[in-house]
Amino acid sequence: SKSGIPNGIFMTTVSQHQLDSSVSSRFGHHPHEQFLDLGSVLPFAVSLSSVELCLCAVTIGSKVHVYQFHNDQQIGLEELVSFQADFCEDKPADVSLVRFVSNNIVTSGNDRTIRVWNIDTTLTPCAIKIIAELESIPKDINDLDACMGETPSELRIASASDDGLLRLWCVDSSSSSSAALVPRVTFDAPDDGNKDKRAGRSIFKAVRWGKRGAGIDASSLSKRPADSLLLGVQSRLSRGSSYLIVWRVEEEEERKGGGLCGTRSKHVMLS
């Protein structure tokens, strides 16, 4: 603001050096670095794509700016495209969360709506199209996370919000049309035993998937124990303890009349 320190994004590459034959290693600071000075403009959130795409998404106000890294020897950023991702009308539009997953960008902001965008860098100029716009959430979104599902086009999205709910969606990222989607699963904040009226509502502050398959074909990976895990941070609006909650989310087949009629998500709280 008025501190004299410029607003911007600092970028550096980090190299991993093996010390010995054991699994211990150290990370070294790469000599090539760059500070993207945005002057009086305040960037809010940042997300990196897969190594294959070499992209960086930065949110500034109501827009997402997508930059491309030139190479790992001399870091340089070129802005490819910017697009409006928040359309709030009752207060200033602001994109507060952004996540890169494969060639998709997931955003949310002050209008409390999660949107999924597809980026195509093979076109000149770079093309952005909206894939899905999820239904608006009544309270502020504190966090969101996304990962690829069991199929190459399945995108799993989770959000944590001030209404005390953790929501899950499954989006077909190959869809060519935008549609509002019904939440696939909704988790209520468990009772933490806090009876203090001053503590306020129990809410979810953060959410993360165990699987991080950004830019990776999940069907080609061997199954890991963490692949089916969902982690959430539960807290109180005013006072009280915070908890890390772990669920296992699995797909199970639904049958009717002796035949398969679809799948549904089954969730079990582990700890």
Side-chain angles (χ1 to χ4, degrees):
S1 182
K2 298 179 180 179
S3 64
I5 300 174
N7 297 315
I9 305 292
F10 176 77
M11 297 147 291
T12 182
T13 57
V14 179
S15 55
Q16 185 174 3
H17 306 281
Q18 200 72 23
L19 293 180
D20 49 37
S21 57
S22 69
V23 295
S24 62
S25 61
R26 65 182 176 87
F27 289 90
H29 189 65
H30 200 282
H32 299 292
E33 58 191 47
Q34 178 177 334
F35 183 80
L36 182 64
D37 190 350
L38 299 177
S40 61
V41 178
L42 181 64
F44 197 91
V46 62
S47 181
L48 296 176
S49 74
S50 63
V51 176
E52 291 76 16
L53 289 179
C54 291
L55 300 179
C56 171
V58 180
T59 69
I60 302 173
S62 64
K63 292 187 176 182
V64 175
H65 298 254
V66 180
Y67 298 88
Q68 184 171 43
F69 293 94
H70 289 304
N71 54 62
D72 61 354
Q73 297 299 319
Q74 183 177 357
I75 294 182
L77 285 183
E78 173 190 2
E79 184 170 352
L80 297 181
V81 66
S82 64
F83 59 96
Q84 185 170 354
D86 187 64
F87 303 88
C88 188
E89 296 180 351
D90 58 345
K91 54 184 176 181
D94 187 25
V95 185
S96 55
L97 295 165
V98 61
R99 295 285 185 271
F100 244 117
V101 185
S102 186
N103 60 334
N104 305 300
I105 301 174
V106 185
T107 64
S108 71
N110 278 348
D111 63 2
R112 301 165 180 164
T113 301
I114 296 175
R115 296 178 175 88
V116 183
W117 313 79
N118 178 268
I119 182 168
D120 188 350
T121 57
T122 63
L123 301 178
T124 304
C126 178
I128 291 284
K129 69 175 181 179
I130 188 167
I131 295 177
E133 183 174 295
L134 282 57
E135 75 275 11
S136 180
I137 295 176
K139 295 290 184 179
D140 288 344
I141 301 173
N142 296 317
D143 195 19
L144 67 83
D145 197 26
C147 70
M148 301 308 298
E150 298 297 327
T151 63
S153 63
E154 183 186 63
L155 183 61
R156 294 181 177 182
I157 301 172
S159 71
S161 53
D162 272 352
D163 61 355
L165 296 178
L166 192 149
R167 294 173 172 85
L168 277 62
W169 294 267
C170 185
V171 176
D172 181 5
S173 61
S174 64
S175 174
S176 59
S177 60
S178 173
L181 303 178
V182 177
R184 193 171 190 177
V185 183
T186 302
F187 297 167
D188 290 295
D191 184 8
D192 60 3
N194 192 334
K195 305 303 180 183
D196 189 343
K197 294 182 179 179
R198 296 170 296 177
R201 179 193 294 269
S202 183
I203 63 173
F204 284 109
K205 296 293 292 184
V207 62
R208 287 293 183 272
W209 288 103
K211 181 187 292 184
R212 304 299 305 170
I216 301 174
D217 182 358
S219 62
S220 67
L221 298 177
S222 59
K223 196 73 174 176
R224 303 176 307 154
D227 285 357
S228 61
L229 296 186
L230 182 70
L231 297 90
V233 174
Q234 177 186 341
S235 185
R236 289 279 178 168
L237 278 174
S238 299
R239 63 177 64 189
S241 300
S242 297
Y243 302 91
L244 176 66
I245 306 175
V246 183
W247 295 271
R248 178 185 290 117
V249 181
E250 297 176 338
E251 301 296 321
E252 63 177 13
E253 296 179 349
E254 285 186 307
R255 295 185 177 275
K256 186 177 182 180
L260 180 65
C261 63
T263 61
R264 65 177 180 178
S265 289
K266 175 184 177 182
H267 62 278
V268 178
M269 185 182 296
L270 299 182
S271 63

mmCIF file of all heavy atoms in Angstrom, residues 225-251:
data_model
loop_
_atom_site.group_PDB
_atom_site.id
_atom_site.type_symbol
_atom_site.label_atom_id
_atom_site.label_comp_id
_atom_site.label_asym_id
_atom_site.label_seq_id
_atom_site.Cartn_x
_atom_site.Cartn_y
_atom_site.Cartn_z
ATOM 1 N N PRO A 225 -2.405 -45.060 -1.545
ATOM 2 C CA PRO A 225 -3.350 -44.911 -0.434
ATOM 3 C C PRO A 225 -3.951 -43.512 -0.343
ATOM 4 O O PRO A 225 -5.082 -43.346 0.096
ATOM 5 C CB PRO A 225 -2.500 -45.235 0.796
ATOM 6 C CG PRO A 225 -1.393 -46.090 0.283
ATOM 7 C CD PRO A 225 -1.104 -45.590 -1.101
ATOM 8 N N ALA A 226 -3.173 -42.495 -0.737
ATOM 9 C CA ALA A 226 -3.647 -41.110 -0.595
ATOM 10 C C ALA A 226 -4.624 -40.709 -1.690
ATOM 11 O O ALA A 226 -5.279 -39.673 -1.582
ATOM 12 C CB ALA A 226 -2.451 -40.152 -0.604
ATOM 13 N N ASP A 227 -4.737 -41.525 -2.756
ATOM 14 C CA ASP A 227 -5.555 -41.125 -3.888
ATOM 15 C C ASP A 227 -7.022 -40.895 -3.536
ATOM 16 O O ASP A 227 -7.694 -40.081 -4.154
ATOM 17 C CB ASP A 227 -5.468 -42.167 -5.004
ATOM 18 C CG ASP A 227 -4.146 -42.094 -5.747
ATOM 19 O OD1 ASP A 227 -3.357 -41.199 -5.425
ATOM 20 O OD2 ASP A 227 -3.914 -42.919 -6.638
ATOM 21 N N SER A 228 -7.536 -41.622 -2.566
ATOM 22 C CA SER A 228 -8.951 -41.518 -2.233
ATOM 23 C C SER A 228 -9.208 -40.662 -1.001
ATOM 24 O O SER A 228 -10.316 -40.637 -0.479
ATOM 25 C CB SER A 228 -9.541 -42.915 -1.996
ATOM 26 O OG SER A 228 -8.892 -43.547 -0.909
ATOM 27 N N LEU A 229 -8.174 -39.931 -0.529
ATOM 28 C CA LEU A 229 -8.328 -39.147 0.690
ATOM 29 C C LEU A 229 -8.749 -37.708 0.416
ATOM 30 O O LEU A 229 -8.357 -37.108 -0.583
ATOM 31 C CB LEU A 229 -7.025 -39.137 1.494
ATOM 32 C CG LEU A 229 -6.528 -40.474 2.041
ATOM 33 C CD1 LEU A 229 -5.312 -40.257 2.928
ATOM 34 C CD2 LEU A 229 -7.626 -41.206 2.792
ATOM 35 N N LEU A 230 -9.551 -37.183 1.314
ATOM 36 C CA LEU A 230 -9.936 -35.780 1.307
ATOM 37 C C LEU A 230 -9.655 -35.230 2.698
ATOM 38 O O LEU A 230 -10.012 -35.850 3.700
ATOM 39 C CB LEU A 230 -11.421 -35.624 0.969
ATOM 40 C CG LEU A 230 -11.937 -34.191 0.895
ATOM 41 C CD1 LEU A 230 -11.372 -33.475 -0.318
ATOM 42 C CD2 LEU A 230 -13.464 -34.180 0.843
ATOM 43 N N LEU A 231 -8.987 -34.073 2.769
ATOM 44 C CA LEU A 231 -8.608 -33.473 4.051
ATOM 45 C C LEU A 231 -9.253 -32.103 4.190
ATOM 46 O O LEU A 231 -9.262 -31.316 3.236
ATOM 47 C CB LEU A 231 -7.090 -33.337 4.164
ATOM 48 C CG LEU A 231 -6.298 -34.654 4.142
ATOM 49 C CD1 LEU A 231 -5.928 -35.032 2.708
ATOM 50 C CD2 LEU A 231 -5.044 -34.527 4.975
ATOM 51 N N GLY A 232 -9.797 -31.838 5.368
ATOM 52 C CA GLY A 232 -10.418 -30.551 5.626
ATOM 53 C C GLY A 232 -10.001 -30.005 6.972
ATOM 54 O O GLY A 232 -9.732 -30.767 7.909
ATOM 55 N N VAL A 233 -9.929 -28.689 7.084
ATOM 56 C CA VAL A 233 -9.642 -28.024 8.359
ATOM 57 C C VAL A 233 -10.938 -27.399 8.863
ATOM 58 O O VAL A 233 -11.524 -26.552 8.198
ATOM 59 C CB VAL A 233 -8.550 -26.954 8.219
ATOM 60 C CG1 VAL A 233 -8.385 -26.192 9.532
ATOM 61 C CG2 VAL A 233 -7.231 -27.591 7.811
ATOM 62 N N GLN A 234 -11.386 -27.860 10.034
ATOM 63 C CA GLN A 234 -12.598 -27.345 10.653
ATOM 64 C C GLN A 234 -12.217 -26.397 11.783
ATOM 65 O O GLN A 234 -11.318 -26.681 12.566
ATOM 66 C CB GLN A 234 -13.434 -28.498 11.207
ATOM 67 C CG GLN A 234 -14.681 -28.049 11.948
ATOM 68 C CD GLN A 234 -15.411 -29.197 12.597
ATOM 69 O OE1 GLN A 234 -15.220 -30.349 12.232
ATOM 70 N NE2 GLN A 234 -16.250 -28.900 13.582
ATOM 71 N N SER A 235 -12.910 -25.270 11.847
ATOM 72 C CA SER A 235 -12.612 -24.287 12.878
ATOM 73 C C SER A 235 -13.899 -23.604 13.306
ATOM 74 O O SER A 235 -14.985 -23.958 12.850
ATOM 75 C CB SER A 235 -11.597 -23.268 12.357
ATOM 76 O OG SER A 235 -11.197 -22.375 13.368
ATOM 77 N N ARG A 236 -13.776 -22.623 14.178
ATOM 78 C CA ARG A 236 -14.901 -21.813 14.627
ATOM 79 C C ARG A 236 -14.729 -20.388 14.126
ATOM 80 O O ARG A 236 -13.610 -19.894 13.983
ATOM 81 C CB ARG A 236 -14.996 -21.823 16.152
ATOM 82 C CG ARG A 236 -15.458 -23.142 16.727
ATOM 83 C CD ARG A 236 -16.963 -23.289 16.668
ATOM 84 N NE ARG A 236 -17.429 -24.569 17.173
ATOM 85 C CZ ARG A 236 -18.700 -24.829 17.424
ATOM 86 N NH1 ARG A 236 -19.625 -23.898 17.229
ATOM 87 N NH2 ARG A 236 -19.071 -26.017 17.866
ATOM 88 N N LEU A 237 -15.836 -19.716 13.882
ATOM 89 C CA LEU A 237 -15.758 -18.353 13.388
ATOM 90 C C LEU A 237 -15.075 -17.433 14.384
ATOM 91 O O LEU A 237 -14.365 -16.504 13.993
ATOM 92 C CB LEU A 237 -17.165 -17.829 13.068
ATOM 93 C CG LEU A 237 -17.759 -18.231 11.720
ATOM 94 C CD1 LEU A 237 -19.202 -17.773 11.614
ATOM 95 C CD2 LEU A 237 -16.941 -17.644 10.578
ATOM 96 N N SER A 238 -15.289 -17.647 15.680
ATOM 97 C CA SER A 238 -14.765 -16.719 16.684
ATOM 98 C C SER A 238 -13.686 -17.329 17.562
ATOM 99 O O SER A 238 -12.571 -16.831 17.631
ATOM 100 C CB SER A 238 -15.903 -16.186 17.557
ATOM 101 O OG SER A 238 -16.843 -15.492 16.763
ATOM 102 N N ARG A 239 -13.978 -18.420 18.244
ATOM 103 C CA ARG A 239 -13.007 -18.988 19.176
ATOM 104 C C ARG A 239 -13.211 -20.486 19.270
ATOM 105 O O ARG A 239 -14.269 -21.004 18.945
ATOM 106 C CB ARG A 239 -13.122 -18.334 20.549
ATOM 107 C CG ARG A 239 -14.464 -18.551 21.229
ATOM 108 C CD ARG A 239 -14.482 -17.933 22.617
ATOM 109 N NE ARG A 239 -14.339 -16.477 22.576
ATOM 110 C CZ ARG A 239 -14.162 -15.724 23.645
ATOM 111 N NH1 ARG A 239 -14.074 -16.279 24.830
ATOM 112 N NH2 ARG A 239 -14.054 -14.419 23.549
ATOM 113 N N GLY A 240 -12.164 -21.167 19.722
ATOM 114 C CA GLY A 240 -12.242 -22.610 19.860
ATOM 115 C C GLY A 240 -11.117 -23.283 19.101
ATOM 116 O O GLY A 240 -10.334 -22.633 18.402
ATOM 117 N N SER A 241 -11.028 -24.588 19.232
ATOM 118 C CA SER A 241 -9.961 -25.356 18.599
ATOM 119 C C SER A 241 -10.249 -25.587 17.125
ATOM 120 O O SER A 241 -11.388 -25.500 16.665
ATOM 121 C CB SER A 241 -9.803 -26.713 19.303
ATOM 122 O OG SER A 241 -9.470 -26.536 20.666
ATOM 123 N N SER A 242 -9.187 -25.878 16.380
ATOM 124 C CA SER A 242 -9.295 -26.260 14.976
ATOM 125 C C SER A 242 -8.896 -27.721 14.834
ATOM 126 O O SER A 242 -8.070 -28.230 15.600
ATOM 127 C CB SER A 242 -8.396 -25.382 14.103
ATOM 128 O OG SER A 242 -8.810 -24.042 14.165
ATOM 129 N N TYR A 243 -9.463 -28.377 13.847
ATOM 130 C CA TYR A 243 -9.224 -29.797 13.670
ATOM 131 C C TYR A 243 -8.921 -30.112 12.211
ATOM 132 O O TYR A 243 -9.488 -29.504 11.297
ATOM 133 C CB TYR A 243 -10.450 -30.616 14.102
ATOM 134 C CG TYR A 243 -10.861 -30.400 15.532
ATOM 135 C CD1 TYR A 243 -11.785 -29.413 15.860
ATOM 136 C CD2 TYR A 243 -10.319 -31.168 16.557
ATOM 137 C CE1 TYR A 243 -12.165 -29.201 17.182
ATOM 138 C CE2 TYR A 243 -10.691 -30.972 17.880
ATOM 139 C CZ TYR A 243 -11.627 -29.977 18.181
ATOM 140 O OH TYR A 243 -11.986 -29.782 19.479
ATOM 141 N N LEU A 244 -8.028 -31.071 12.011
ATOM 142 C CA LEU A 244 -7.783 -31.626 10.688
ATOM 143 C C LEU A 244 -8.587 -32.914 10.575
ATOM 144 O O LEU A 244 -8.427 -33.824 11.389
ATOM 145 C CB LEU A 244 -6.293 -31.911 10.476
ATOM 146 C CG LEU A 244 -5.937 -32.597 9.152
ATOM 147 C CD1 LEU A 244 -6.233 -31.682 7.981
ATOM 148 C CD2 LEU A 244 -4.473 -33.022 9.144
ATOM 149 N N ILE A 245 -9.468 -32.980 9.594
ATOM 150 C CA ILE A 245 -10.337 -34.139 9.404
ATOM 151 C C ILE A 245 -9.947 -34.845 8.115
ATOM 152 O O ILE A 245 -9.681 -34.199 7.091
ATOM 153 C CB ILE A 245 -11.808 -33.715 9.345
ATOM 154 C CG1 ILE A 245 -12.166 -32.901 10.591
ATOM 155 C CG2 ILE A 245 -12.719 -34.930 9.226
ATOM 156 C CD1 ILE A 245 -13.567 -32.340 10.556
ATOM 157 N N VAL A 246 -9.900 -36.173 8.170
ATOM 158 C CA VAL A 246 -9.526 -36.973 7.008
ATOM 159 C C VAL A 246 -10.671 -37.919 6.649
ATOM 160 O O VAL A 246 -11.169 -38.648 7.515
ATOM 161 C CB VAL A 246 -8.250 -37.789 7.288
ATOM 162 C CG1 VAL A 246 -7.830 -38.554 6.034
ATOM 163 C CG2 VAL A 246 -7.121 -36.887 7.761
ATOM 164 N N TRP A 247 -11.082 -37.873 5.389
ATOM 165 C CA TRP A 247 -12.103 -38.781 4.882
ATOM 166 C C TRP A 247 -11.503 -39.675 3.789
ATOM 167 O O TRP A 247 -10.554 -39.273 3.104
ATOM 168 C CB TRP A 247 -13.271 -38.035 4.243
ATOM 169 C CG TRP A 247 -14.096 -37.194 5.144
ATOM 170 C CD1 TRP A 247 -15.203 -37.551 5.864
ATOM 171 C CD2 TRP A 247 -13.924 -35.784 5.388
ATOM 172 N NE1 TRP A 247 -15.715 -36.485 6.544
ATOM 173 C CE2 TRP A 247 -14.957 -35.384 6.270
ATOM 174 C CE3 TRP A 247 -13.003 -34.832 4.947
ATOM 175 C CZ2 TRP A 247 -15.084 -34.077 6.717
ATOM 176 C CZ3 TRP A 247 -13.123 -33.541 5.388
ATOM 177 C CH2 TRP A 247 -14.155 -33.158 6.267
ATOM 178 N N ARG A 248 -12.118 -40.832 3.616
ATOM 179 C CA ARG A 248 -11.853 -41.645 2.429
ATOM 180 C C ARG A 248 -13.076 -41.537 1.525
ATOM 181 O O ARG A 248 -14.201 -41.802 1.945
ATOM 182 C CB ARG A 248 -11.606 -43.116 2.786
ATOM 183 C CG ARG A 248 -11.373 -43.992 1.545
ATOM 184 C CD ARG A 248 -11.240 -45.463 1.861
ATOM 185 N NE ARG A 248 -10.002 -45.733 2.552
ATOM 186 C CZ ARG A 248 -9.921 -46.203 3.778
ATOM 187 N NH1 ARG A 248 -11.037 -46.432 4.466
ATOM 188 N NH2 ARG A 248 -8.759 -46.447 4.346
ATOM 189 N N VAL A 249 -12.851 -41.092 0.289
ATOM 190 C CA VAL A 249 -13.940 -40.934 -0.677
ATOM 191 C C VAL A 249 -13.759 -41.982 -1.765
ATOM 192 O O VAL A 249 -12.737 -42.006 -2.455
ATOM 193 C CB VAL A 249 -13.942 -39.518 -1.296
ATOM 194 C CG1 VAL A 249 -15.091 -39.372 -2.280
ATOM 195 C CG2 VAL A 249 -14.031 -38.471 -0.203
ATOM 196 N N GLU A 250 -14.752 -42.838 -1.925
ATOM 197 C CA GLU A 250 -14.656 -43.918 -2.889
ATOM 198 C C GLU A 250 -15.904 -43.952 -3.757
ATOM 199 O O GLU A 250 -16.980 -43.498 -3.356
ATOM 200 C CB GLU A 250 -14.485 -45.265 -2.172
ATOM 201 C CG GLU A 250 -13.200 -45.357 -1.350
ATOM 202 C CD GLU A 250 -13.101 -46.656 -0.583
ATOM 203 O OE1 GLU A 250 -14.164 -47.271 -0.343
ATOM 204 O OE2 GLU A 250 -11.974 -47.060 -0.239
ATOM 205 N N GLU A 251 -15.727 -44.481 -4.961
ATOM 206 C CA GLU A 251 -16.840 -44.657 -5.873
ATOM 207 C C GLU A 251 -17.413 -46.059 -5.695
ATOM 208 O O GLU A 251 -16.675 -47.036 -5.622
ATOM 209 C CB GLU A 251 -16.375 -44.474 -7.329
ATOM 210 C CG GLU A 251 -15.769 -43.104 -7.623
ATOM 211 C CD GLU A 251 -16.771 -41.986 -7.462
ATOM 212 O OE1 GLU A 251 -17.939 -42.184 -7.847
ATOM 213 O OE2 GLU A 251 -16.391 -40.926 -6.935
#
